[in-house]
């Protein structure tokens, strides 16, 4: 029995070829995109009632190893620094380990600094601005989610990437995505994984696709800073923190509206517009080709089956997954802890964000936002961490409209140095710190205008 597709020349696919695409992709769909009430189905306490499969498995793992996470972090970060220092003294012949450990002085410095920080936080010794419950321990509290999510997603990502799921969705909406956002249709899967799971998960997918030639430099940058959205479950946490759960639907629709406007504007202005449409290391570009002679659905199936035929073996996927996890643990985890701790220390123990927020007061006054002077620092402090702004305006002294605006803004800003910012900088996606700062400020201004307009209509 054959499944037939008609192109310029007729192509036939066997049932086994179709199933090679369909079964792994269906599993990937349920693991990475479709949210289900796993918490209720399995009656597990301490997990989100509704989540995607990867998120649910990560939460289960986190619950089971929660008591060991601080020790695991200590071992990972200290090992990263120690092995990186040793790599400067010995000749590592293995290419993977040499690239991982023999890093520049810049990255080596932060690995060593992170190892110092984690020892201080673990043993609760050292300066208060490092070991405070508002700085180092906040970052340590993020680690369980990152460690659990990366180890689960690292092995399961091929179900989304290598068996045709992204090719199918990408073909179906390629014209829409390219016209509006200047990116391929397959970027929709990155977005859904971020939206329903975790923003860092979306960046992981984007980085992998970029290195495989499915995105150009410009496309990978656009996707990373426009589509790696804060997850829906975390948005409910912010809304609950601000007492806005009774308005959650308009609250989240406002976030979506602001993010949509940013995604349309940002690719067309500096700094994203200056990035070249070149591939990673000049590898062949796997461009989505649309044939107008057949339906998008049929062409999507055909592209998906062709991709599945090229899928790596289980052994290769396991080895590649293991390498990705080791890379993330050795390279990324130390940076998240170091940069996150420094960012929060600046936010909590210095007046820096108060000083630089003076121009924001004028803007908030012009937009007729109550409590402008008190809320202004929360507008910029989101660059350090997504949760701090909502904490800063959660008190009784703030008007509900101000809480609504700052809460929605903190989620729409998207670039946070404790999470997405650090992941982007350590990835192969060609954005530097200056680019992220500029993009954060532009996203903040655009989002603030959109959110304030909607908030004044609602309140």
């Amino acid at each position: 029995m054959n499944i037939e597709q008609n192109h310029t020349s007729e192509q036939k696919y066997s049932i086994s070829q179709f199933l090679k695409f369909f079964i792994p992709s269906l599993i990937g769909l349920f693991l990475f995109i479709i949210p289900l009430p796993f918490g209720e189905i399995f009656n597990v306490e301490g997990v989100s009632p509704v989540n995607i499969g990867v998120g649910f498995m990560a939460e289960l793992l986190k619950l089971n190893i929660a008591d060991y996470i601080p020790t695991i972090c200590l071992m990972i970060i200290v090992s990263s620094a120690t092995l990186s220092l040793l790599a400067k003294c010995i000749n590592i012949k293995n290419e993977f380990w040499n690239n991982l450990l023999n890093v520049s002085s810049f990255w080596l410095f932060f690995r060593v600094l992170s190892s110092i920080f984690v020892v201080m936080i673990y043993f609760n010794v050292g300066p208060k601005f490092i070991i405070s419950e508002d700085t180092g321990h906040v970052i340590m509290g993020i680690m369980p989610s990152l460690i659990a999510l990366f180890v689960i997603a690292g092995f399961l990502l091929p179900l989304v990437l290598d068996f045709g799921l992204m090719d199918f969705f990408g073909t179906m909406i390629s014209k829409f995505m390219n016209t509006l956002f200047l990116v391929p249709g397959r970027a929709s899967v990155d977005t859904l994984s971020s939206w329903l799971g975790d923003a860092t998960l979306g960046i992981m997918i984007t980085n992998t696709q970029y290195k495989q030639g499915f995105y150009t430099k410009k496309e990978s940058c656009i996707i990373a800073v426009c589509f790696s959205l804060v997850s829906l479950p975390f948005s409910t946490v912010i809304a609950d923190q601000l007492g806005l759960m009774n308005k959650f639907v308009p609250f989240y629709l406002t976030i979506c509206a602001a993010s949509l406007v940013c995604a349309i504007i940002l690719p067309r202005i500096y700094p994203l517009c200056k990035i070249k449409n070149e591939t990673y290391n000049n590898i062949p570009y796997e461009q989505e080709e649309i044939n107008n002679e057949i339906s998008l659905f049929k062409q999507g199936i055909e592209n998906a089956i062709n991709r599945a035929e090229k899928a790596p073996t289980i052994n290769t996927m396991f080895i590649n997954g293991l390498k990705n996890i080791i890379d993330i643990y050795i390279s990324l985890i130390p940076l998240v802890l170091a940069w996150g701790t420094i960012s929060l220390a600046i936010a909590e123990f210095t007046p820096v964000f108060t000083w630089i927020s003076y121009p924001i007061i004028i803007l908030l006054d012009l937009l007729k936002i109550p409590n402008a002077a008190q809320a202004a620092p929360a507008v910029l402090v989101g660059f350090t961490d997504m949760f701090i702004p909502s904490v800063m305006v959660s008190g009784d002294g703030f008007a509900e409209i101000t809480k609504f605006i700052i809460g929605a803004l903190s989620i729409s800003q998207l670039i946070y140095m404790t999470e997405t910012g650090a992941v982007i900088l350590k990835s192969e996606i060609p954005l530097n710190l200056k680019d992220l700062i500029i993009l954060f400020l532009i996203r903040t201004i655009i989002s603030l205008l959109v959110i304030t307009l909607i908030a004044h209509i609602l309140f």
Side-chain angles (χ1 to χ4, degrees):
M1 182 176 180
N2 290 321
I3 293 173
E4 298 187 4
Q5 308 288 339
N6 290 315
H7 263 276
T8 306
S9 60
E10 186 180 277
Q11 297 189 28
K12 297 180 179 180
Y13 300 103
S14 66
I15 284 292
S16 62
Q17 287 176 309
F18 177 77
L19 292 178
K20 187 176 180 181
F21 143 67
F22 184 74
I23 294 176
S25 296
L26 184 64
I27 296 171
L29 195 67
F30 279 100
L31 288 178
F32 285 87
I33 296 178
I34 298 177
L36 293 171
F38 290 106
E40 297 177 7
I41 293 172
F42 295 99
N43 194 27
V44 180
E45 293 185 5
V47 301
S48 303
V50 178
N51 206 338
I52 59 173
V54 167
F56 172 68
M57 287 189 285
E59 286 187 326
L60 281 183
L61 179 60
K62 184 174 69 173
L63 285 175
N64 284 287
I65 64 172
D67 294 339
Y68 309 103
I69 287 291
T71 303
I72 293 172
C73 285
L74 179 71
M75 293 172 63
I76 290 173
I77 295 172
V78 171
S79 296
S80 174
T82 303
L83 293 173
S84 298
L85 287 170
L86 287 174
K88 295 295 182 182
C89 306
I90 59 176
N91 182 27
I92 302 176
K93 295 182 179 180
N94 182 279
E95 183 180 1
F96 170 75
W97 287 106
N98 185 59
N99 292 337
L100 181 62
L101 299 175
N102 194 8
V103 293
S104 67
S105 299
F106 177 82
W107 298 116
L108 180 62
F109 170 77
F110 282 105
R111 289 185 186 185
V112 173
L113 184 64
S114 182
S115 68
I116 296 171
F117 284 175
V118 77
V119 169
M120 289 180 178
I121 298 165
Y122 185 84
F123 293 104
N124 207 37
V125 294
K128 185 178 179 181
F129 66 88
I130 298 296
I131 64 172
S132 167
E133 293 293 331
D134 298 320
T135 56
H137 284 283
V138 168
I139 302 301
M140 191 66 85
I142 295 172
M143 290 300 170
S145 296
L146 291 180
I147 288 175
L149 181 65
F150 286 145
V151 74
I152 297 294
F155 287 117
L156 296 177
L157 270 178
L159 294 172
V160 173
L161 303 181
D162 295 330
F163 290 91
L165 182 63
M166 295 191 76
D167 299 82
F168 175 73
F169 277 110
T171 302
M172 294 286 286
I173 64 169
S174 56
K175 293 180 181 179
F176 167 79
M177 294 291 286
N178 189 262
T179 301
L180 272 186
F181 311 119
L182 310 184
V183 296
R186 64 194 306 113
S188 60
V189 178
D190 307 51
T191 306
L192 288 170
S193 294
S194 297
W195 179 42
L196 299 171
D198 187 90
T200 54
L201 184 60
I203 295 171
M204 282 178 66
I205 294 174
T206 302
N207 187 49
T208 303
Q209 293 282 276
Y210 168 55
K211 291 193 293 183
Q212 292 177 347
F214 292 101
Y215 299 141
T216 64
K217 290 180 179 180
K218 186 173 185 176
E219 289 167 351
S220 69
C221 293
I222 292 171
I223 297 164
V225 298
C226 294
F227 294 98
S228 300
L229 306 176
V230 173
S231 70
L232 181 60
F234 187 82
S235 299
T236 63
V237 174
I238 296 292
D240 186 56
Q241 167 76 20
L242 296 172
L244 296 171
M245 284 305 291
N246 61 328
K247 292 183 173 65
F248 182 74
V249 172
F251 177 75
Y252 197 74
L253 289 177
T254 301
I255 294 167
C256 292
S259 299
L260 178 64
V261 174
C262 286
I264 294 173
I265 295 175
L266 259 62
R268 294 169 169 83
I269 62 175
Y270 182 86
L272 292 180
C273 68
K274 73 177 178 65
I275 299 171
K276 296 180 180 179
N277 265 315
E278 300 172 343
T279 56
Y280 177 72
N281 288 341
N282 293 317
I283 62 176
Y285 181 40
E286 300 283 347
Q287 188 173 10
E288 292 172 347
E289 297 182 1
I290 304 301
N291 187 331
N292 294 321
E293 296 179 6
I294 63 172
S295 71
L296 287 175
F297 179 80
K298 287 184 178 180
Q299 191 170 348
I301 293 291
E302 179 180 315
N303 292 340
I305 292 175
N306 287 335
R307 175 63 50 200
E309 284 298 297
K310 303 174 186 175
T313 64
I314 293 177
N315 185 52
T316 301
M317 286 190 292
F318 177 81
I319 293 172
N320 290 340
L322 188 60
K323 285 182 177 179
N324 286 335
I325 293 166
I326 293 171
D327 188 3
I328 288 169
Y329 281 4
I330 296 296
S331 303
L332 180 60
I333 296 298
L335 292 186
V336 171
L337 187 128
W339 292 354
T341 302
I342 292 170
S343 299
L344 292 184
I346 292 171
E348 295 290 338
F349 288 88
T350 75
V352 169
F353 282 98
T354 300
W355 292 341
I356 64 177
S357 67
Y358 287 139
I360 302 297
I361 298 175
I362 300 172
L363 178 60
L364 298 188
D365 278 330
L366 288 173
L367 295 173
K368 301 187 183 304
I369 298 174
N371 315 109
Q374 298 90 335
V379 171
L380 295 179
V381 78
F383 187 65
T384 62
D385 183 77
M386 70 186 85
F387 194 62
I388 296 178
S390 61
V391 173
M392 293 177 68
V393 300
S394 60
D396 295 333
F398 288 89
E400 189 176 27
I401 186 173
T402 304
K403 293 181 179 182
F404 183 96
I405 292 170
I406 296 300
L409 179 65
S410 69
I411 297 172
S412 305
Q413 286 170 321
L414 196 144
I415 300 168
Y416 321 101
M417 290 312 297
T418 57
E419 193 184 50
T420 52
V423 178
I424 291 171
L425 289 176
K426 192 60 191 73
S427 72
E428 302 298 331
I429 297 169
L431 288 170
N432 56 37
L433 182 59
K434 183 189 79 170
D435 293 329
L436 292 186
I437 292 172
I438 293 171
L439 288 163
F440 172 82
L441 293 174
I442 295 173
R443 284 195 68 93
T444 297
I445 293 170
I446 295 172
S447 298
L448 182 61
L449 294 176
V450 174
I451 292 167
T452 302
L453 175 64
I454 297 173
H456 279 308
I457 294 172
L458 294 173
F459 288 86

